[in-house]
Amino acid sequence: MTYQQQIGTARQTIGGHATWGGIDAESVARMRLQNRFQTGLDIARYTAAIMRRDMAAYDADPAAYTQSLGCWHGFIGQQKIISIKKHFGTTDRRYLYLSGWMVAALRSEFGPLPDQSMHEKTSVPALIEELYTFLRQADARELSLLFRDLDKARESGNEVEAQRLTQAIDGHQTHVVPIIADIDAGFGNAEATYLLAKKMIEAGACALQIENQVSDEKQCGHQDGKVTVPHEDFLAKVRACRYAFLELGVDDGIIVTRTDSLGAGLTKQIAFSKEPGDIGDQYNAFLDCDEIDVGQVGNGDVVITREGKLLRPKRLPSNLFQFREGTGADRCVLDCITSLQNGADLLWIETEKPHIEQIASMVDRIREVVPNAKLVYNNSPSFNWTLNFRQQVFDAWTEAGKDVSAYDRARLMSVDYDGTPLADEADERIRTFQKDAAARAGIFHHLITLPTYHTAALSTDNLAKAYFGDEGMLGYVKGVQRREIREGIACVKHQNMSGSDIGDDHKEYFAGEAALKAGGVHNTMNQFAA
């Protein structure tokens, strides 16, 4: 409903109760608009529809790719979306990413933990709820400012401005955007995955990202020692997520299936197979095996047969089995096709470097079977982007016969090469990476998993160096506050950002002229009015 329709509806409701005369219809309308989403499920349904529209738009035009940044706190997510609205006027095609890595490192009661699914799984839905609490508060704050300006326009008799502000209220775009949320490997069996998925969806998640690693052996995607599970085990968890979406009425919820097979050389178990060529047999075909005869079977050996041959998979002291070298890409392709054929909506291929052609070589094969296959891709801080792209340019120049004698490939990260033609070309490739990869490699969504972890560390280091050094208080004023004022950072008025003005509005609604408000003439936040 429009603002005026909300007022009319509230007035009608109030009019039906003789004792509600002290309730103002316009105040009720304002509070309703400031609290558009009543539950996390309302958010999940709303944002799932956004993602589905965006996916269709990308299918029609790869230039319409989407982006997100990982956020580890509600305030960080809130400030990111406020910034996007400030700079670009819209949140279209911009999401949030919830990183299990950052939950483990920053949100666990055990303290900082590695990305190995050791953190409390309840901390994941708790962060989703926190993020949306802060995004909804951003709506309330922005609308509160519009309501205050509307009151001023009315008081001054400026009907044109009042009409403009009413239209702005009606056209207000919410800060609530989709969250792609990391459920790791499901934190247990399929039932555990289902239970956690329900909590995450109820908190507002419209998209769940699940990976094909063993839950109790899970590793960060950019570390060694990764162990995958047979497809049927993984697909049971994918179905568990879908059941959770359907049970809760989020029928178009999104499942992102991540394969770590490119860097995973181990499996915990041999897949169950009924007949040659089934999915279990295809998984087992990648095992590194020795051909033996019956007389060579030793105590405790595990053996399989294939095409009339007796094979002994190579088994490590850890009781894990290893895959053949060089099969990672083939396993990724099979993982992706199988996932899409069993309910997944988007793919995530975890790679060891940001190389468009490497990604595209797998996506091309996937699209031979599933033509509209699309990826979510991790533009990871675990990659040394500068070194990787300088080396890519070095290799391309070498192949093209260009003179690279001025460059040492192993030292290309060095500041000595900053500003050189090679470094400039590498930076340009980094700048256009997302656009180019969306067009060539089927990447619908680009995210950076841990950016705000790094920005928090960098900005704190800069402040500490200045404040505790010779600059003293000037280190804060010059490096933080002055920049906030001149760059229009909303939280420079931190009292307003924390909800003080919204509270004052409510006090006036509730108590009228008797309200004791914080925003009076002596409030120091008035110093930032200019």
Side-chain angles (χ1 to χ4, degrees):
M1 291 185 286
T2 66
Y3 183 42
Q4 293 302 323
Q5 288 171 333
Q6 287 275 17
I7 295 172
T9 299
R11 184 175 291 120
Q12 186 175 9
T13 301
I14 294 166
H17 298 269
T19 60
W20 290 9
I23 303 294
D24 177 67
E26 187 163 9
S27 298
V28 172
R30 290 181 176 186
M31 293 178 76
R32 284 178 173 175
L33 288 172
Q34 288 174 305
N35 188 28
R36 172 178 171 181
F37 301 98
Q38 302 301 310
T39 70
L41 287 176
D42 292 335
I43 292 172
R45 295 183 186 109
Y46 169 77
T47 53
I50 290 174
M51 279 196 71
R52 292 289 178 179
R53 289 195 298 270
D54 288 348
M55 289 160 66
Y58 174 81
D59 286 340
D61 180 7
Y65 61 90
T66 57
Q67 299 168 291
S68 67
L69 296 174
C71 298
W72 54 272
H73 191 279
F75 177 73
I76 301 296
Q78 177 198 66
Q79 294 304 301
K80 179 193 130 176
I81 300 301
I82 288 174
S83 176
I84 287 170
K85 287 193 74 174
K86 180 184 76 173
H87 291 294
F88 305 104
T90 178
T91 62
D92 290 352
R93 304 204 309 275
R94 280 95 172 187
Y95 307 163
L96 294 182
Y97 178 67
L98 186 152
S99 160
W101 192 102
M102 285 205 286
V103 173
L106 298 168
R107 303 300 299 255
S108 173
E109 292 184 10
F110 293 102
L113 293 172
D115 185 20
Q116 296 174 0
S117 289
M118 294 190 292
H119 55 282
E120 309 87 338
K121 57 184 171 184
T122 53
S123 59
V124 182
L127 179 53
I128 296 169
E129 184 176 1
E130 177 181 293
L131 284 162
Y132 279 128
T133 296
F134 274 79
L135 294 182
R136 290 161 68 193
Q137 193 262 4
D139 281 355
R141 172 189 168 273
E142 191 168 83
L143 284 164
S144 172
L145 295 174
L146 289 172
F147 295 148
R148 284 166 173 255
D149 288 344
L150 176 60
D151 290 341
K152 291 176 183 176
R154 287 172 174 172
E155 289 169 6
S156 66
N158 190 339
E159 289 300 322
V160 173
E161 179 65 2
Q163 182 63 30
R164 185 193 71 79
L165 288 164
T166 300
Q167 291 174 351
I169 292 166
D170 288 341
H172 176 261
Q173 185 183 37
T174 177
H175 294 79
V176 169
V177 298
I179 290 177
I180 298 176
D182 185 359
I183 197 171
D184 277 30
F187 287 86
N189 60 17
E191 172 71 2
T193 301
Y194 153 77
L195 293 171
L196 179 56
K198 277 186 63 176
K199 289 293 185 184
M200 293 170 70
I201 297 163
E202 288 169 341
C206 72
L208 304 178
Q209 169 226 323
I210 187 166
E211 59 202 65
N212 69 335
Q213 292 192 51
V214 176
S215 185
D216 61 350
E217 299 282 357
K218 183 255 189 301
Q219 292 278 12
C220 172
H222 293 285
Q223 292 187 308
D224 208 352
K226 293 188 290 183
V227 183
T228 63
V229 297
H231 294 90
E232 287 297 348
D233 295 45
F234 182 60
L235 295 176
K237 294 184 178 182
V238 173
R239 285 189 288 272
C241 292
R242 182 61 66 200
Y243 270 104
F245 274 124
L246 293 173
E247 177 184 342
L248 296 172
V250 187
D251 295 348
D252 53 357
I254 289 92
I255 298 174
V256 182
T257 50
R258 170 177 142 180
T259 172
D260 280 278
S261 290
L262 198 63
L266 303 170
T267 183
K268 194 166 188 177
Q269 62 198 95
I270 295 172
F272 174 74
S273 174
K274 290 183 179 179
E275 58 186 36
D278 65 15
I279 193 63
D281 187 51
Q282 292 180 65
Y283 186 81
N284 294 339
F286 294 114
L287 292 170
D288 192 0
C289 301
D290 293 321
E291 184 178 349
I292 61 173
D293 58 41
V294 175
Q296 294 175 294
V297 178
N299 182 56
D301 274 353
V302 174
V303 296
I304 60 175
T305 61
R306 184 183 304 125
E307 298 176 351
K309 298 176 181 178
L310 188 63
L311 304 174
R312 180 170 56 205
K314 292 183 179 178
R315 191 179 187 183
L316 305 179
S318 59
N319 203 29
L320 300 172
F321 299 92
Q322 68 184 44
F323 292 111
R324 298 194 315 275
E325 287 284 339
T327 62
D330 292 339
R331 285 183 280 125
C332 278
V333 171
L334 181 61
D335 294 343
C336 291
I337 291 171
T338 304
S339 294
L340 291 174
Q341 291 175 334
N342 287 271
D345 302 290
L346 295 167
L347 303 170
W348 175 317
I349 300 176
E350 194 76 310
T351 66
E352 82 288 359
K353 59 181 179 293
H355 195 291
I356 291 175
E357 286 306 315
Q358 179 199 32
I359 304 163
S361 66
M362 291 181 278
V363 173
D364 288 345
R365 295 169 61 189
I366 297 164
R367 284 184 162 180
E368 289 176 5
V369 181
V370 186
N372 69 336
K374 294 180 283 295
L375 266 63
V376 171
Y377 187 70
N378 178 6
N379 293 219
S380 177
S382 294
F383 304 142
N384 184 332
W385 285 76
T386 301
L387 180 62
N388 266 289
F389 276 83
R390 287 181 181 183
Q391 288 182 338
Q392 287 180 38
V393 173
F394 181 95
D395 295 341
W397 283 12
T398 301
E399 186 176 347
K402 293 185 68 171
D403 182 12
V404 293
S405 60
Y407 304 96
D408 180 347
R409 190 180 187 279
R411 293 186 59 254
L412 287 175
M413 184 64 206
S414 172
V415 67
D416 297 342
Y417 295 116
D418 290 359
T420 62
L422 184 145
D424 290 344
E425 182 172 328
D427 281 355
E428 179 62 14
R429 290 193 184 196
I430 294 171
R431 187 185 72 82
T432 64
F433 173 80
Q434 294 187 338
K435 175 176 69 70
D436 297 340
R440 172 68 185 97
I443 298 177
F444 157 73
H445 186 77
H446 284 277
L447 60 88
I448 308 178
T449 43
L450 322 175
T452 52
Y453 177 88
H454 293 278
T455 55
L458 179 62
S459 60
T460 302
D461 180 81
N462 289 336
L463 175 59
K465 178 175 63 175
Y467 177 73
F468 292 104
D470 293 340
E471 291 190 30
M473 190 58 197
L474 181 61
Y476 172 78
V477 172
K478 184 178 178 181
V480 180
Q481 189 181 79
R482 192 177 296 167
R483 290 187 61 187
E484 286 181 307
I485 295 169
R486 292 178 176 172
E487 296 177 27
I489 305 301
C491 73
V492 70
K493 298 181 181 180
H494 49 258
Q495 307 285 16
N496 169 267
M497 183 57 62
S498 70
S500 179
D501 290 342
I502 295 172
D504 275 0
D505 293 340
H506 293 169
K507 290 174 185 177
E508 189 169 358
Y509 299 164
F510 306 156
E513 293 181 358
L516 180 63
K517 297 191 289 185
V521 67
H522 297 297
N523 189 315
T524 59
M525 285 290 101
N526 295 330
Q527 297 172 21
F528 297 92

